[in-house]
């Protein structure tokens, strides 16, 4: 359930980022606090349902030879979960590519309106692309080896292999908040308010760019 929630949270953030650019004019009026809380609650209910699947019959207790590395999930069911994860990753990749296209188009429009020099626009675009690449690259390095291992391995493989590949996937949930806090000024403001009750003056004077999304 926790692993599913980690992946679904990243997917939800990706969808939210895409909608914030695609529907920029109506985004803040449509994405209210109540709507956000409802979506988070729904996501956790679905993930808890995935976590309860072994109790509902997705288990190998009657046939130990059919067990996967994710005991007591069977090899077939583990393969379904792994393929589902790879499809979700492909969806995230496609959404981030669309985000890059929209952000680049917005940066060009802002540059024309404000007569920015080309180097400033290029710097903003490069920062946005580097942020997206860093997020996707970290996610892929942490999760894809574990997903592929779930497809090819079974319960006869040494348990140490499973734990060594599951550990990075678990740590990905710890790394993501650091990435977002380091690259996103809105989250930085929230952290400053939560920790010291103030916002540094550098935030108020700093213009928002497409790379901040």
């Amino acid at each position: 359930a926790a692993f599913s929630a980690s992946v679904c949270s990243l997917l939800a953030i990706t969808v939210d980022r895409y909608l914030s650019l695609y529907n920029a004019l109506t985004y803040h009026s449509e994405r209210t606090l109540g709507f956000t809380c409802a979506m988070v609650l729904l996501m956790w209910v679905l993930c808890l349902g995935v976590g309860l699947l072994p109790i509902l019959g997705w288990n190998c207790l009657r046939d130990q030879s059919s067990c996967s590395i994710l005991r007591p999930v069977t090899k077939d069911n583990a393969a379904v979960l792994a393929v589902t994860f790879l499809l979700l990753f492909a969806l995230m990749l496609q959404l981030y590519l669309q985000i890059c296209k929209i952000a680049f188009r917005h940066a060009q429009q802002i540059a024309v309106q404000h007569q920015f020099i080309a180097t400033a626009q290029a710097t903003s675009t490069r920062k946005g692309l580097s942020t997206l690449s860093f997020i996707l690259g970290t996610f892929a390095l942490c999760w894809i080896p574990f997903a592929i291992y779930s497809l090819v391995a079974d319960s006869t493989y040494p348990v140490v292999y499973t734990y060594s590949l599951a550990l990075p996937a678990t740590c990905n949930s710890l790394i993501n908040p650091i990435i977002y806090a380091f690259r996103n000024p809105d989250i930085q403001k929230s952290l400053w308010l939560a920790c010291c009750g103030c916002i540094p003056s550098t935030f108020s004077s700093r213009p928002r760019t497409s790379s901040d999304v």
Side-chain angles (χ1 to χ4, degrees):
F3 275 23
S4 300
S6 177
V7 175
C8 289
S9 296
L10 290 177
L11 178 61
I13 292 173
T14 305
V15 174
D16 183 70
R17 285 182 164 188
Y18 173 75
L19 293 176
S20 69
L21 288 175
Y22 186 76
N23 297 324
L25 296 178
T26 60
Y27 171 79
H28 291 287
S29 61
E30 294 175 351
R31 301 300 177 268
T32 61
L33 179 60
F35 179 84
T36 303
C37 292
M39 290 297 100
V40 172
L41 179 61
L42 176 62
M43 181 190 69
W44 271 99
V45 169
L46 292 175
C47 293
L48 287 174
V50 173
L52 291 174
L53 287 178
I55 300 178
L56 300 177
W58 281 39
N59 61 67
C60 58
L61 299 180
R62 296 180 180 179
D63 184 10
Q64 295 296 324
S65 62
S66 64
C67 286
S68 67
I69 59 170
L70 306 172
R71 298 174 68 94
V73 178
T74 64
K75 288 184 288 187
D76 292 340
N77 293 331
V80 171
L81 294 175
V83 170
T84 301
F85 162 78
L86 293 175
L87 292 176
L88 290 178
F89 177 75
L91 175 60
M92 289 175 58
L93 183 60
Q94 177 63 25
L95 287 174
Y96 271 126
L97 289 175
Q98 294 300 320
I99 288 173
C100 288
K101 292 180 181 179
I102 296 174
F104 184 76
R105 186 168 65 248
H106 285 183
Q108 287 181 320
Q109 294 172 351
I110 294 173
V112 172
Q113 292 175 2
H114 294 79
Q115 297 181 351
F116 289 161
I117 58 175
T119 55
Q121 176 190 339
T123 300
S124 174
T125 304
R126 282 197 300 269
K127 180 185 175 184
L129 291 177
S130 65
T131 301
L132 297 180
S133 300
F134 192 52
I135 293 172
L136 277 180
T138 303
F139 181 73
L141 288 175
C142 291
W143 275 100
I144 289 183
F146 182 63
I148 294 177
Y149 184 71
S150 300
L151 288 173
V152 301
D154 54 38
S155 58
T156 61
Y157 282 60
V159 179
V160 64
Y161 293 165
T162 302
Y163 282 108
S164 62
L165 292 175
L167 182 60
T170 305
C171 291
N172 182 243
S173 297
L174 300 176
I175 297 172
N176 285 326
I178 299 175
I179 297 175
Y180 293 127
F182 180 73
R183 305 291 291 189
N184 192 305
D186 290 333
I187 298 180
Q188 292 177 28
K189 290 180 182 179
S190 300
L191 290 176
W192 275 102
L193 284 173
C195 295
C196 66
C198 62
I199 299 178
S201 58
T202 54
F203 284 109
S204 58
S205 61
R206 177 180 176 273
R208 184 177 177 86
T209 65
S210 59
S211 61
D212 294 333
V213 178

